[in-house]
């Protein structure tokens, strides 16, 4: 597929080919979207409203996309276990996490009815909690943000709901708001509706 620019700094290839699972099985995975009329605008909105401002603040050189768009083909490989280690290649919750953007199943229904798009990223040499705090203070209109730890990537999505939900995860991978009290207060204080600065 010819290079398609997504936002000011990223390409469709960046979104489709960044995961370790894709790199491991690239010969077997068709990583690009099929429902271009819905998926490309969703990725462009994610870049425009969320990722471009983050890159402009922390620099393109330090921005590292670790998980972008998930095609149905990539999804199958994420669900499989590595034959050498027996460990599952990755995690995906297509009904909620928005990584599949506007892709549709054989029956014509969206994988994720929430639409929008999501990615996971890190800022090299910067703790993720510092990045989360900047996102909240900057009032970026995210839909969901998942915090996995100060040295782990951040999951962020942009979609029509603009929920500004922020989650962390317990030891068994269950979503929780435990330990996020200060950030949840920032979400309220710096939401576009309150206009507090």
């Amino acid at each position: 597929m010819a290079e398609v620019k997504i936002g000011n700094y990223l390409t469709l290839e960046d979104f489709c080919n960044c995961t370790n699972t894709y790199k491991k099985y690239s010969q077997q995975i068709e990583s690009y979207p099929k429902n271009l009329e819905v998926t490309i605008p969703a990725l462009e909105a994610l870049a425009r409203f969320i990722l471009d401002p983050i890159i402009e603040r922390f620099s393109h050189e330090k921005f590292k996309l670790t998980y972008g768009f998930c095609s149905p083909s990539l999804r199958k490989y994420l669900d499989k276990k590595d034959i050498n280690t027996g460990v599952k290649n990755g995690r995906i919750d297509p009904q909620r996490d928005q990584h599949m953007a506007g892709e549709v199943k054989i029956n014509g229904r969206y994988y994720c009815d929430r639409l929008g798009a999501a990615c996971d990223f890190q800022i090299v040499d910067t703790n993720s909690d510092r990045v989360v705090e900047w996102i909240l203070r900057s009032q970026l209109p995210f839909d969901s943000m998942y915090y996995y730890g100060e040295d782990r990537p951040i999951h962020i999505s942009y979609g029509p709901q603009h929920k500004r939900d922020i989650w962390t995860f317990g030891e068994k991978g269950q979503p929780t708001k435990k330990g996020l009290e200060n950030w949840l207060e920032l979400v309220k204080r710096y939401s576009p509706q309150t206009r507090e600065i």
Side-chain angles (χ1 to χ4, degrees), residues 45-152:
L46 173 65
R48 178 178 174 201
F49 294 108
I50 306 294
L51 301 181
D52 284 355
I54 291 169
I55 291 169
E56 284 158 11
R57 168 61 180 87
F58 293 97
S59 89
H60 192 205
E61 293 74 31
K62 290 188 170 189
F63 181 86
K64 182 181 178 191
L65 201 58
T66 60
Y67 183 16
F69 169 73
C70 181
S71 67
S73 178
L74 174 60
R75 178 180 160 256
K76 288 177 187 170
Y77 279 86
L78 285 168
D79 280 337
K80 292 181 179 182
K81 291 184 179 179
D82 182 283
I83 55 170
N84 297 319
T85 65
V87 176
K88 204 170 171 187
N89 287 315
R91 290 185 306 172
I92 184 164
D93 185 357
Q95 293 180 330
R96 281 186 283 233
D97 68 19
Q98 297 165 285
H99 280 288
M100 295 188 81
E103 295 304 288
V104 293
K105 303 174 189 177
I106 294 171
N107 65 9
R109 296 198 56 184
Y110 290 113
Y111 281 94
C112 182
D113 290 332
R114 293 175 58 205
L115 295 177
C119 71
D120 294 15
F121 73 94
Q122 272 185 302
I123 303 297
V124 177
D125 297 329
T126 305
N127 285 351
S128 289
D129 40 359
R130 184 175 153 221
V131 179
V132 167
E133 197 154 314
W134 182 84
I135 290 168
L136 296 176
R137 290 184 186 280
S138 299
Q139 300 181 26
L140 296 188
F142 63 88
D143 192 12
S144 293
M145 183 163 37
Y146 303 164
Y147 175 76
Y148 296 105
E150 66 179 26
D151 59 347
R152 302 275 313 279

Side-chain angles (χ1 to χ4, degrees), residues 19-57:
T19 65
N20 289 331
T21 301
Y22 172 78
K23 291 170 186 169
K24 192 189 297 187
Y25 303 103
S26 62
Q27 298 303 309
Q28 292 95 351
I29 293 175
E30 172 50 58
S31 62
Y32 289 93
K34 301 251 188 275
N35 193 15
L36 301 177
E37 302 79 28
V38 179
T39 296
I40 297 297
L43 292 171
E44 288 173 335
L46 173 65
R48 178 178 174 201
F49 294 108
I50 306 294
L51 301 181
D52 284 355
I54 291 169
I55 291 169
E56 284 158 11
R57 168 61 180 87

